[in-house]
Amino acid sequence: MTAYVVRRLWQMIPTLAGVILLIFFLFNWVGGDPAQVLAGKISNPEQIANIRKQLGVDQPYYVQLWYFVQQVFTFDFGRSWSTNEEVSRILLTRVGPTLTIMVPVLIIETFLAVIFAIMVAYVRGTLTDRTIMILCTTAMSISFLVYIIVGQYLFGFQWGIFPVQGWSESFTKNLVTYAPLPIILAVAVGLAPQLRLYRSFFLEEINQDYVRTARAKGLPEKKVMMKHVLRNALIPILTNIGIYLPSVFVGSFLLEVFFSIPGLGREIITAVNRSDFPVIKAVTVYLAVLTMIINLLVDVMYKFVDPRVSFK
């Protein structure tokens, strides 16, 4: 396994190089001149030239690319154009609130989706199965924004159970007071599609020969589902989690804006509105790195879930 991990890490290098080149190309050729963005509409050529010199964009492209590579590996993207705060400090201080919301969402949503999916697969073809699938389809057709607005109105304004906005310096208070409502809404949005998908994984395993063999041996249906079907369905479930995890962070954007959570999502939206290129570039690069690391971890977990998986 060690050799496989080392080989995969080596394979990440060209992928990361491609990501860096793509981001550099987009921000230097497509994103426009950052000096003109910073100078504003009322400016003169001398001001623009001075800003270009301060940013280093007056250098040849290969020099700018090398500087960008150094920024990626030293975690030093300079300062934010809009707040003059160090970009590294922005990322480190904003990632905590985002993880406070997203980690519980991922754990709760995955756990509930697996449990409900295997229960629905157990009663496949019945009225209960059809009813739950109709409810899931209905839930999937409702916008995330509707969930947020209705959730804030009912839980916050109407019933007064949770605050609709706010954040504090205390992790415990955030987790108990401010995070529950965003977590509940995010789980409600993501549970329906995950349940449908995991149900299809379980139904596919139920039709395999080894399940029929287990039943022929006289094993109870619950034991067949929990011991055999669940274990073999974990491979595609892990694959889906690896694909779904980066989108969980993207899904935090709306939550953080509507609930005034000082996380990465709200910071990215603010940076886009202000054309704050250093923050946008940093988040884009490290989100790509996070995706590659997640894919590696998922592949390694295959071995623990199914010992038959071989790393070649």
Side-chain angles (χ1 to χ4, degrees):
M1 181 182 296
T2 303
Y4 172 78
V5 173
V6 172
R7 186 166 66 251
R8 284 294 303 272
L9 290 174
W10 275 108
Q11 291 173 355
M12 287 183 184
I13 295 177
T15 305
L16 180 59
V19 170
I20 292 174
L21 287 174
L22 179 61
I23 294 174
F24 180 79
F25 170 79
L26 290 175
F27 280 91
N28 283 273
W29 280 282
V30 181
D33 189 351
Q36 292 183 345
V37 174
L38 287 177
K41 295 181 179 180
I42 304 176
S43 58
N44 55 58
E46 184 178 354
Q47 289 177 324
I48 294 177
N50 290 332
I51 295 176
R52 288 178 60 86
K53 186 175 181 180
Q54 292 175 5
L55 298 178
V57 294
D58 60 335
Q59 300 292 327
Y61 283 122
Y62 67 88
V63 176
Q64 296 182 46
L65 178 59
W66 173 243
Y67 180 61
F68 181 48
V69 172
Q70 288 180 316
Q71 289 179 326
V72 172
F73 286 99
T74 60
F75 198 64
D76 182 11
F77 282 82
R79 293 183 175 273
S80 166
W81 291 353
S82 58
T83 64
N84 201 34
E85 187 180 1
E86 290 185 1
V87 175
S88 58
R89 187 178 183 279
I90 291 176
L91 298 181
L92 292 175
T93 55
R94 306 302 193 274
V95 72
T98 299
L99 292 177
T100 303
I101 300 295
M102 292 299 106
V103 171
V105 167
L106 182 67
I107 295 174
I108 297 172
E109 183 180 306
T110 303
F111 176 77
L112 293 179
V114 170
I115 296 299
F116 289 153
I118 199 168
M119 292 172 61
V120 174
Y122 180 71
V123 295
R124 59 198 176 278
T126 63
L127 179 61
T128 301
D129 179 24
R130 296 190 182 95
T131 303
I132 293 177
M133 288 302 99
I134 292 174
L135 292 176
C136 287
T137 304
T138 304
M140 292 168 59
S141 64
I142 301 174
S143 170
F144 194 2
L145 187 59
V146 175
Y147 281 93
I148 294 176
I149 294 175
V150 174
Q152 286 185 330
Y153 175 74
L154 292 179
F155 290 97
F157 298 108
Q158 198 73 11
W159 299 331
I161 300 176
F162 301 113
V164 296
Q165 288 186 338
W167 202 255
S168 70
E169 298 295 328
S170 172
F171 171 76
T172 304
K173 184 176 182 180
N174 292 332
L175 195 60
V176 174
T177 304
Y178 298 109
L181 184 55
I183 291 173
I184 291 172
L185 296 179
V187 170
V189 171
L191 184 59
Q194 298 302 318
L195 194 157
R196 285 179 59 91
L197 181 61
Y198 294 168
R199 172 183 174 272
S200 67
F201 293 158
F202 290 128
L203 291 179
E204 184 178 352
E205 293 297 327
I206 286 174
N207 296 322
Q208 298 296 324
D209 291 336
Y210 73 88
V211 175
R212 287 192 287 267
T213 302
R215 288 171 178 160
K217 290 180 178 180
L219 291 178
E221 186 68 13
K222 290 183 179 179
K223 189 172 183 179
V224 172
M225 295 293 293
M226 299 303 296
K227 184 177 180 180
H228 297 281
V229 175
L230 176 60
R231 183 171 183 177
N232 285 277
L234 283 179
I235 294 292
I237 289 175
L238 285 175
T239 303
N240 178 72
I241 292 174
I243 298 172
Y244 179 66
L245 189 55
S247 65
V248 172
F249 287 91
V250 177
S252 69
F253 291 7
L254 272 179
L255 288 174
E256 293 178 6
V257 169
F258 276 86
F259 288 92
S260 297
I261 299 173
L264 281 177
R266 195 175 72 167
E267 188 64 36
I268 292 171
I269 293 178
T270 303
V272 170
N273 291 333
R274 297 174 177 176
S275 297
D276 198 342
F277 286 2
V279 176
I280 301 173
K281 287 194 292 185
V283 173
T284 306
V285 170
Y286 293 125
L287 187 60
V289 174
L290 176 64
T291 303
M292 289 186 285
I293 294 175
I294 290 172
N295 290 333
L296 174 59
L297 293 176
V298 169
D299 289 345
V300 172
M301 289 178 65
Y302 287 160
K303 185 68 175 178
F304 295 98
V305 173
D306 189 352
R308 296 172 299 177
V309 176
S310 60
F311 296 137
K312 296 182 180 179

